Amino acid sequence: MTGLPFPRLRAQGTSLPEGTTGLPDQFGRVARDLRVSVTDRCNLRCTYCMPAEGLPWLPKPEMLTDEEIVRLVGIFVGLGVQQVRLTGGEPLLRRSLVDVVRGIAALEPRPRIAMTTNGVGLDRLAQPLADAGLDRVNVSLDTIDPQEFATLTRRDRLHDVEAGLKAAAAAGLEPVKVNAVAMRGVNDTSVPELLQWCLDRGYDLRFIEQMPLDAQHGWDATSMVAAAEVRAHLEERFTLTELPAEDRGSAPAELFLVNGGPATVGIIASVSQPFCAACDRVRLTADGQVRNCLFSRTETDLRGPLRDGATDEELARLLQGEMWRKARGHGIGEPGFVQPDRPMSAIGG
């Protein structure tokens, strides 16, 4: 299967201008980064994501098949998407994940393929995924203290995550990145220890502000550890030198040289300093819904039309229409902001 060029498409039911190509919105942004959730299931129960008992999972018939995922990704690639990131839930729980990666890697033009994972099971799958075409990996890890890890995730699996990180590096899935969320009263004061741990092992660390995407809808801005506070904790031990903003591009992380470099640490201030103006992302959920923003309260169904026999061109029109409706920003902190019904585990990061 190859990516299709789709010239001069017009989305039905929108005010998308005649002759529009690619995946633009009304504010001059163009989507080139696709996040694909391959499952809503997860084997951890992180306190800021879901309740201890877990969530009702999608029935298998409602989830996209391997072939459907690859076909839809091919349409996105034909519309200009250059990077595909596989997410979950926990993507490693999809038994056919290696086949999905192989199918995406066979697209022309071939997109860069990344994955965000909690790392549990990555020790077994890192090499097969790399062989299939996975280019790099981000591993979510908020603390390297075993007790803190068990408290946060409700699982004693830190050793599995460490093994997964080592396997990713050995398989060449580099740069190996670590994503961390600092939580007040839990791991906020230990962020320097996490940075040193990553520096010692050659992993790139990125801190992310906690966002209102928990299934419990219990997020509170007053308890969020903001980017400035994370930086202050890091500077208790390290000298951070901010890199020029132009080096950032559409990447969400503000980068700092650590002790003069060459190692860096990133801080993603998605709530306190939103980067919506440079956002180039679009999301596809495990049940075939396309979302133009992580915090969108609407989405466009692709699974139904796909299974009803829609052509690639018809599906492309739906994609263009959804992106054209993208809001200027996520609206967190503004009057009237309402958290999405879907939690992060059902949207994909």
Side-chain angles (χ1 to χ4, degrees):
M1 180 180 295
T2 60
L4 302 176
F6 299 121
R8 302 185 65 82
L9 293 176
R10 180 177 183 137
Q12 297 174 340
T14 74
S15 57
L16 187 70
E18 183 71 46
T20 297
T21 59
L23 290 169
D25 63 30
Q26 300 174 68
F27 303 100
R29 299 166 297 194
V30 179
R32 296 188 177 91
D33 186 333
L34 171 63
R35 307 299 171 100
V36 180
S37 172
V38 297
T39 181
D40 63 330
R41 298 172 183 264
C42 192
N43 44 12
L44 300 182
R45 296 292 181 270
C46 296
T47 56
Y48 56 85
C49 185
M50 66 176 67
E53 65 273 15
L55 295 167
W57 308 128
L58 287 169
K60 188 173 181 179
E62 294 185 14
M63 295 180 61
L64 294 175
T65 65
D66 297 352
E67 294 76 13
E68 289 170 339
I69 290 176
V70 174
R71 179 183 171 190
L72 291 176
V73 171
I75 296 171
F76 277 103
V77 169
L79 290 167
V81 161
Q82 299 170 355
Q83 173 168 289
V84 177
R85 176 174 295 279
L86 303 176
T87 69
E90 173 44 53
L92 295 176
L93 293 182
R94 185 170 182 123
R95 294 182 180 180
S96 58
L97 182 63
V98 172
D99 294 330
V100 171
V101 170
R102 185 178 295 110
I104 295 173
L107 295 171
E108 294 289 344
R110 182 197 188 281
R112 298 187 301 274
I113 309 172
M115 179 177 68
T116 297
T117 171
N118 63 30
V120 177
L122 187 57
D123 57 332
R124 296 180 292 103
L125 287 171
Q127 192 61 59
L129 286 167
D131 293 342
L134 187 68
D135 295 306
R136 63 181 188 85
V137 67
N138 286 38
V139 176
S140 300
L141 177 62
D142 302 317
T143 177
I144 41 86
D145 178 273
Q147 185 55 53
E148 283 184 359
F149 184 92
T151 299
L152 278 171
T153 66
R154 302 187 178 100
R155 300 290 187 271
D156 182 18
R157 306 296 297 272
L158 178 59
H159 57 289
D160 292 311
V161 180
E162 292 183 82
L165 282 162
K166 290 179 181 178
L173 298 174
E174 296 178 324
V176 175
K177 293 186 178 181
V178 172
N179 296 341
V181 176
M183 285 148 285
R184 193 172 308 284
V186 180
N187 64 338
D188 52 333
T189 60
S190 62
V191 295
E193 285 75 20
L194 179 57
L195 176 55
Q196 187 62 61
W197 188 87
C198 289
L199 292 173
D200 291 343
R201 290 157 179 79
Y203 307 144
D204 290 356
L205 179 59
R206 302 290 183 267
F207 287 100
I208 307 172
E209 288 181 339
Q210 184 180 355
M211 295 178 284
L213 289 165
D214 58 308
Q216 306 93 310
H217 286 213
W219 181 87
D220 182 357
T222 61
S223 62
M224 182 193 76
V225 180
E229 192 172 347
V230 171
R231 179 176 178 177
H233 283 306
L234 293 174
E235 288 180 328
E236 293 171 2
R237 181 178 301 186
F238 304 97
T239 299
L240 302 185
T241 305
E242 186 174 348
L243 288 174
E246 54 266 25
D247 293 349
R248 177 175 174 178
S250 62
E254 184 177 11
L255 294 178
F256 302 86
L257 290 174
V258 180
N259 294 338
T264 63
V265 63
I267 303 178
I268 301 176
S270 44
V271 176
S272 63
Q273 300 174 52
F275 42 87
C276 300
C279 179
D280 64 350
R281 298 178 181 178
V282 58
R283 289 173 166 80
L284 178 66
T285 66
D287 57 346
Q289 311 302 304
V290 62
R291 300 173 62 89
N292 60 37
C293 174
L294 185 59
F295 294 94
S296 175
R297 293 188 54 79
T298 62
E299 50 194 25
T300 293
D301 177 36
L302 297 183
R303 185 192 63 203
L306 184 154
R307 292 181 178 177
D308 286 342
T311 66
D312 286 359
E313 186 177 53
E314 289 168 338
L315 293 170
R317 290 191 182 111
L318 291 173
L319 297 179
Q320 287 191 310
E322 177 63 24
M323 289 311 301
W324 190 250
R325 290 186 288 272
K326 185 171 182 175
R328 184 182 295 274
H330 56 48
I332 299 174
E334 297 179 4
F337 172 79
V338 178
Q339 182 174 335
D341 294 328
R342 285 188 190 246
M344 175 68 91
S345 60
I347 297 174

